[in-house]
Every structure is written in C-alpha cells, then in structure tokens.
Amino acid sequence: MNFEELSGLPPGAIDHFHSEGIEELYPPQAEAVDAGATDGENLVAAVPTASGKTMIAALAMLSAIERGGKALYIVPLRALASEKKAEFEAYERFGVTVGVTTGNYESTSDWLATKDIVVATSEKVDSLVRNGAEWLSELTCVVSDEVHLIDDRNRGPTLEVTLAKLRQLNPGLQTVALSATVGNADEIADWLDAALVDTDWRPIDLQMGVHYGNALNFDDGSTREVPVEGSEKQEAALVRDILQEDGSSLVFVNSRRNAEAAAKRLGGVSRTELTAEEEAALAELAADIRDDSDTETSRDLADCVERGAAFHHAGLSSTQRSLVEDAFRDRLLKVISATPTLAAGVNTPARRVIVRDWRRFDSSAGGMAPLDVLEVHQMMGRAGRPGLDPYGEAVLLAKSHDESQELFDRYIWADPEPVRSKLAAEPALRTHVLATIASGFARTRAGLLEFLEATLYASQSTEAGRLETVTDTVLQYLESNDFIERDSSDDSSTADGSAFTSAADLADDDGREETLEATSLGHTVSRLYLDPMSAAEIVHGLERADERPTALGLYQLVSRTPDMYELYLRSGEDEKFGELFYEREAELLGDTPSEFEEERFEDWLAALKTGKLLEDWADETDEERLTDRYKIGPGDLRGKVDTAEWLLGAAESLAAEIDSEWTVAVREARARVEHGVGEDLLELVSVGGVGRKRARRLYEAGIEEPADLRTADKGVVLGALKGEKTAENILESAGREDPSMDGVEPDSARSGDGGVIATSSDGDGTDDATATNGADDSQSRLGDFE
C-alpha cells in the first residue's frame, strides 16, 4: 500500500514521510490500516521488532488528530519516552505539537492540554488520572507500547489499570496496543475489544540459531562456520566474526559482574577493528564518561569504551547509559555486553545478538533457573535493523550437542509465554484500589468490583471469587490504616463530581449498598503516588517518635517502605549492621523487632544499611568511597538518593497531614539527601550553581550563607571556586550587583583547599577549573531512573 492511498492524515503528513524516504507501507502496517487503525478502531499489533510498529501508532494518532482529537503514547521507560518524543517532534513540521511527561507524580501537567501528542510512562499517566488532569478527558487515541509488560509483576498492574481507567473516562477512546513478543495476542485483543494484526513478517531476515563447537546452526537448517581459536570464548569468536563484516554485536549476560568482565575481554577483540578516527572519537567519549562520575565503575567503563566495547546495566548513571546507547546506535561502539535491561525497548539494534547466559539466579527457585521465552525473544528482537543491516542474527551458546538441542526446543522453536495479569497480587491491588476510590472511579464496593471486572485479570481469571476475596482483604487494610471509610447507607449516590459513576454505584441493592470514600489522608497518599503500605509505615514511624527524629532515623524509616528497593545484606554484614543497630537503636522510628524475629530483623538491618548509605551521602562522603564501601554502581547510588528524596518529600506531606511536630526535621533530612550536604551547607546550596563540593569550599573560605556571596572579597570567592565563569555565574545567582571577575586574582590562602575538602567531593566528575556554565556540580539533579 502506497502512502498516497491513505486518507484522513493531517495535510503535509504524507509529504513528510516521503521526505523521510518512506514510499509505501510495510505489510503489517497496511494490514493495520485495513483493520481500521486510521478510522478510530481498536487494534492490537503483535509485530516483530523493526517491522513498523511505531508507524502503526503514528498513523492511528495522526488520523485521530486530523479528526480533531488528541493522542497519548504510553511507554514503559523514561528513556524510551525521550526517544519517542524526539521521533514524533518531526511531525511539528506539519503542525502537530508534541509533549513528554514522566516525573513529578503530584502534577497534573496542565501545559500538555495544548499538545496534540503526549508521550508518558504508565506510572505518570496513572498519577495524572489520580490527580484529576482534566485534559485526559479530551483523549481520543491511546497507544500502549510494549503491552506485554502487563505481565511484569511490579509495573504490569499499573499499565493494566491505567488502560482500564482511560477506557472508562473516554468510552469512545481508540486503543492501540503494540508488542513484538506476546504469546496470547488474541486474549489481549478480546480484552480491548480490538482487531488483531498478528504477523512474523520482518523487512530483513532474522536468523535464530545455536553456536556449538565451531559452527553456528540456524533454525532454517543452514550452518555458518565460526571457529573458536585456542582458549577463546564462544562469544569472542562470534563478535570477531561479525566485526569482519563491519557488524556490531550485543551480548546478553545474567549479572552486572559478568557484563563488566565480558566487556573487558571483548574490548581486546573490538580494538583491532578500529580506525584512527574511531579511536579519537572513543577517547572523547571515554573522557565524557569519566567526567560524569569519579568511580571505579566509571573508570572501568571508560577503559572499555576506548577499545570499542562497553557494558550496560542498571548500576550505570542515566548519563552513562545514554552515552553508551547513542555511541552504539552510531556504530562507534562495536560491542556491548549487557544485562537484560537493554532489551526492554530502547532502540539499540545490532547485526548479531548473542544470548550467552540463558539462566540466572532466582531466589524463588533456590538457584539458577531458565529465562522465560518472552524475555529471550525480546533480546533476540534487537538483531538487525532496516537501513543498518542486511540481515540479523540471534544466537544462543551451547556447550554440548544435547544442550544445543535443548536450546532449539526451549527458545528457538518455542512461542512466548502468554501474558498474564498480575493485578490480583495484594501489593498491587492495595495501591490501585485506593487510587480508584480516591479518584472517584468507584464509590461503592459493588462499583469497585464492577470496575475491576473491566481489567485483563477479570477476563483471564478462572478462579471464581478470587478477585472479590482479595479486594475485601485490601479494603479492610485500607480502612484499618485510616485511608478509607466504609458505610452502609440508604443512599449510595453522591454529588462529588467524580470522573466516573458505575451502574453498580447507582444500584439500590435493597437500599443498603456499602459506600467507599477516601479520607483526607487517603487522598494525600493517592496523590503522592505512594504504596499505602509505605504511607502507613511512615505515618506510624512519625507518630511513635518521642524526640526529634535524626537523619538516620528518617532515612532508615523510608528505606523500610515497599517503595524503596533496599540494599541487601552481603555475607557477614548481618553482624556489622547488627552492631550498628544496637548502637543507634534509639534513633530508629517505629516498633523495632527482636533479633529472634529473624526475617523482620533482617529486613530492618537491610533498611539500616540503606539508611546508613543515605546518611553517609548527606555527610558529604564522596561518591567513589560510597560505591566502593557499599559495592554498588553510581547509578545505584543516584537511584537510592532520588528515591529517598521523593519519599522524604512525601513524608513531609504526610507529617503535615497528621499534624506531626516533626515536619521540619523531615524537610531538613530531605534537603540534606537532595544536595548531599551537612546542615551547615543547606543555605549555600540553595544558590544556583553551588553543589556540595563548591559549597564546602566556600564555607571553609568563610562564606557561610548566600548573603556572604554578595559582599565577600572576590579573590576569596575565585580562590574557592577556581573558575572565573563559574564564579561569575554563582555571584550573579546570589544577587551580587557586579559579579564580573575581570582583573581579579584568586586568594588561594583562603580557598578552602584543606580540611574536609581533601577527602570529600561531589562525585560528579566536574572539574571546577574547566567548568564554564552555572550548572550545579552536585548530584542534586539525579537523572532519569526507572
């Protein structure tokens, strides 16, 4: 089907696609159009990676906009949101506006009301519904990318409930669901009342196979000789082989440690294929990585990058991950060894994908367990992209003939597992039941159950009464913690202006229907996007505090919540943190467990370890020392700080809600963890451009508050900040009348180079001598974590 045959797109759209070199639709795209994608019909597209899923979404959204509507594109990752926004912004050439929103779960992002296409994560859309964003009612098309992630135990229920709520808010809403790997696409289509496009067509060939011995055996019966030389590992031989064709490789392994070790080895292969220009560009890239974070992980990554290889895992900072992904897409990096996080949707194609490890540790299995077919197929789908590769290859590694046959049976010839709803798990349900009540989607028990019947779980459930039983348990929990009130009254109808009123809400039910209403505390918890159990833990901890809480006490408190992924205790650390527990037990908030309550006591120690990490950060311990002490990556540190800042901000709101006298203590603890400074520096870091390192140097030079910057000797300021442009920007931010440093000589005698600064740094890799803008040199802008 040629683009000229399409109708209903905005003027200029077809010319735009022609300018991009697109003359005709791929077969799956044409099939989607025939199924009504451009006519407002619901659609599920189960289409392989690189086969045009995004174009199907674009056609649906653009046609909806041309009909006077508004479109929402839901993604699973913040990084993917930025990628899609950049892609859709090209449509602004013909008048289509685009916005992206991923953070600040308390905001309704009203500025997006004027945008034609909005890109957001499912969590952000859920929060917009909770907070009553009025522009959501204007949506006429919603696209759910990677819809198979409904199967994810942690994030799946949010996507499932969000789609159900949007369909309730907008009964005529067009829903388009996309996935490359879903084993039961027909069930998803039935749930969404959608037509189904289910195909394995790809624009370039994807061969899947198993490497064993010196041969690569493919699913079509063909064989490619890839000899393993001497002590060489299989993945090294496969990377070397494809590099000789100027192809890139992705190697998937099962742990961070393995990813880093593999990248170091594979760098020895890739470096032999680099040109002089590539070596120079990689040296610059390595310098950028070292500048981002002064840690061992960063130095190891930079060393690999200089040789044309890299590793990729959640322990990297968001900046480092982006640098690696961009360089790989540009084919500057030749090989990445990665944990499966890289297979989650971000566009990182490779000529050859090597799944080295098809087992990983699973605590529930008591050891190593095989990966799901769906996950392996997601990895394999990264192989081969049109315009970049003539073909794609996806390879598993076998050590024996029997293992080779097992891999063909288990993965190559197998279909992905069916996507199953995880909504009925109590942790997920308590969050979404409270939000459903607080946002007015259900005001009675019967109305709540009717809403839940519109979810995928209800359409898949074969266990009669299971959803009702779990829902009643959750309602009891929410009531016991003062998040909701239940009442049996003669009149279940209200006039609260809620967004949705179900038929069951209005039913008489003998005049005694049980009504559900969120309390003021419950509304606050829902608005803050907290797990109700997290809120209960925080509230109870604050209520039981007899004295002003310390920073450690508050950090350990938020680390105990389900919303914080706490550090686990390594071998021998139970004794170390057990001693710390007894030393500082008086500071900990809440009902402390006995050491004889083994499981609960261990959880408290893990939370104490996490809290101590946060305290060390707030005490200005440098990033390298922290990552080494706690055996974590820079991305882990920044993620913990980011989460703690959010939870402490929520704790401040909860403290105000319950009239706690400890609101100020919570606020100070949040500010300290946000900026990574002691109490004495909190005023200085409020000045634009002043982070933890610069603040400490200024303080040591006798500049203790913002007002001092307006009157201090400029030589002293320059001596502390070590960069004229940096000093000028900071003085201007502080309100100094004449911030110019022209002709000023630094006063090194009072520059604050000694004392605590000798052992403390921002950990952001910023060289003050070369900094030329007013950017904050601290970790207070923590990046984009999923």
Side-chain angles (χ1 to χ4, degrees), residues 162-185:
T162 297
L163 288 176
K165 286 181 177 178
L166 290 175
R167 283 160 57 80
Q168 295 274 27
L169 272 173
N170 307 287
L173 182 71
Q174 178 186 19
T175 304
V176 178
L178 309 175
S179 178
T181 49
V182 55
N184 56 335

Side-chain angles (χ1 to χ4, degrees), residues 100-104 106-113 124 128 133 135:
V100 63
T101 179
T102 57
N104 190 359
E106 296 180 60
S107 167
T108 56
S109 300
D110 290 338
W111 64 276
L112 293 169
K124 177 59 180 180
L128 290 169
W135 59 266

Side-chain angles (χ1 to χ4, degrees), residues 621-633:
T621 306
D622 67 85
E623 186 178 20
E624 181 176 15
R625 188 174 300 181
L626 288 175
T627 55
D628 180 65
R629 180 182 299 169
Y630 291 93
K631 309 301 179 188
I632 57 176

Side-chain angles (χ1 to χ4, degrees), residues 6 17-18 20 75 115 170 179 188 198 280 331 364 404 410 501 543 568 582 586 597 600 602 655 699 711 721:
L6 294 174
F17 291 124
H18 282 164
E20 296 288 316
V75 295
K115 302 298 182 181
N170 307 287
S179 178
I188 305 297
D198 192 356
R331 299 296 168 101
S364 64
S404 175
R410 182 184 289 276
T501 303
E543 288 179 337
Y568 68 90
Y582 289 115
E597 302 174 77
R600 185 163 173 252
E602 186 170 325
Y699 194 91
T711 59
L721 296 177

Side-chain angles (χ1 to χ4, degrees), residues 616-772:
D616 288 348
W617 165 256
D619 284 342
E620 301 174 54
T621 306
D622 67 85
E623 186 178 20
E624 181 176 15
R625 188 174 300 181
L626 288 175
T627 55
D628 180 65
R629 180 182 299 169
Y630 291 93
K631 309 301 179 188
I632 57 176
D636 299 310
L637 173 59
R638 298 181 192 187
K640 292 290 181 291
V641 171
D642 193 39
T643 303
E645 182 188 345
W646 164 58
L647 286 171
L648 287 162
E652 184 180 345
S653 296
L654 292 173
E657 179 68 37
I658 64 174
D659 294 324
S660 171
E661 61 183 304
W662 310 127
T663 304
V664 173
V666 176
R667 184 182 306 135
E668 289 181 1
R670 183 200 57 76
R672 287 190 61 200
V673 84
E674 176 188 358
H675 297 287
V677 297
E679 291 182 23
D680 54 344
L681 298 186
L682 284 176
E683 289 191 52
L684 275 178
V685 292
S686 69
V687 176
V690 178
R692 64 199 312 241
K693 180 164 57 178
R694 291 172 184 164
R696 181 54 65 189
R697 285 205 298 263
L698 287 167
Y699 194 91
E700 292 295 313
I703 301 169
E704 300 181 358
E705 56 187 41
D708 294 340
L709 285 166
R710 295 191 286 272
T711 59
D713 183 279
K714 287 184 178 180
V716 174
V717 175
L718 185 58
L721 296 177
K722 302 185 182 300
E724 288 188 9
K725 187 63 177 177
T726 297
E728 288 175 351
N729 287 338
I730 288 173
L731 290 181
E732 184 176 359
S733 295
R736 185 145 183 164
E737 204 166 295
D738 176 21
S740 174
M741 285 288 169
D742 290 346
V744 176
E745 292 295 325
D747 183 351
S748 58
R750 298 183 61 197
S751 66
D753 284 339
V756 65
I757 287 305
T759 60
S760 179
S761 77
D762 277 346
D764 63 340
T766 301
D767 182 350
D768 283 334
T770 60
T772 59

Side-chain angles (χ1 to χ4, degrees), residues 233 235-236 239 251-270 296-297 300-301 303-304 307 309-313 316 335-339 356-357:
K233 292 186 177 291
E235 61 268 26
V239 169
V251 181
F252 285 105
V253 297
N254 60 10
S255 70
R256 297 182 186 185
R257 181 178 299 176
N258 284 338
E260 295 179 12
K264 291 175 183 177
R265 289 194 303 269
L266 295 172
V269 178
S270 58
E296 183 179 2
T297 299
D300 288 345
L301 177 60
D303 291 345
C304 291
R307 304 163 75 190
F311 52 86
H312 187 291
H313 55 59
L316 302 183
V335 57
I336 293 179
S337 59
T339 54
R356 193 195 78 176
D357 300 335

